[in-house]
Amino acid sequence: MQMPTGVHALVRRTHEERVMRALQENGAMSRGEIARVVGLSRTTLSEITGSLLQRGAIVVVDTDASSRAGSGRPAERLALDPASAQFMGVDFGHRRVHVVIADASHEIMASDSVRYDDTATWPTRTELALGLVDRLSAEAGVHFWAQQGIGICV
């Protein structure tokens, strides 16, 4: 699949954010429910949810098979992936770097700091920050395939 560029990428990103917000606010939902809440066509929604599923931002949690009346394929219910690290903050202070990793519902998944001397070079500070990110993500069991944003403070 070719990734959209320019205005198309902005529109797609906006649609993704609306879908993610709907799942955050409402919990698990079928594609039909999501389409009604965010006002997207089923075709557009199918493309958006397919991409979010592939990147690991959302997961299939169940189907409506047990409560469904009638025939046809059961509707999958989608939800935010709780192991998906969506946001990260990296704060470089005078004597330490602090990293915070949050999920799609903005709950902090992992957070820690590493101290360094105030004369430490930027390559040293950056290596410490990257090591901290690796350690925190391994300890918390998070993945970054659905990363939505990174904030860096110096």
Side-chain angles (χ1 to χ4, degrees):
M1 169 178 31
Q2 183 178 357
M3 292 305 291
T5 58
V7 173
H8 296 299
L10 179 60
V11 169
R12 183 179 187 90
R13 180 73 172 184
T14 301
H15 290 335
E16 287 179 356
E17 290 171 359
R18 289 169 57 200
V19 168
M20 301 278 286
R21 191 175 321 110
L23 291 171
Q24 179 182 0
E25 292 172 358
N26 300 296
M29 301 169 69
S30 71
R31 285 176 181 83
E33 292 168 331
I34 297 169
R36 282 189 295 280
V37 168
V38 299
L40 295 174
S41 72
R42 287 185 182 254
T43 303
T44 300
L45 186 73
S46 179
E47 290 178 22
I48 297 300
T49 56
S51 175
L52 292 171
L53 282 163
Q54 184 179 29
R55 291 190 346 241
I58 62 176
V59 293
V60 176
V61 292
D62 60 19
T63 68
D64 68 353
S66 63
S67 62
R68 183 178 181 90
S71 60
R73 193 170 84 194
E76 295 176 328
R77 290 175 11 97
L78 307 173
L80 298 175
D81 183 354
S84 174
Q86 298 286 321
F87 306 99
M88 183 185 318
V90 181
D91 179 18
F92 289 98
H94 291 290
R95 293 186 179 92
R96 59 111 182 104
V97 60
H98 186 88
V99 173
V100 177
I101 301 170
D103 65 16
S105 64
H106 303 178
E107 294 294 320
I108 294 176
M109 302 171 74
S111 175
D112 203 357
S113 299
V114 173
R115 296 191 65 76
Y116 47 73
D117 187 85
D118 60 354
T119 60
T121 63
W122 277 105
T124 299
R125 293 175 186 204
T126 304
E127 281 183 42
L128 288 169
L130 292 173
L132 184 55
V133 167
D134 287 343
R135 181 176 60 80
L136 288 174
S137 61
E139 289 174 1
V142 300
H143 61 82
F144 297 103
W145 301 301
Q147 190 79 37
Q148 297 290 313
I150 300 173
I152 299 176
C153 179
V154 179

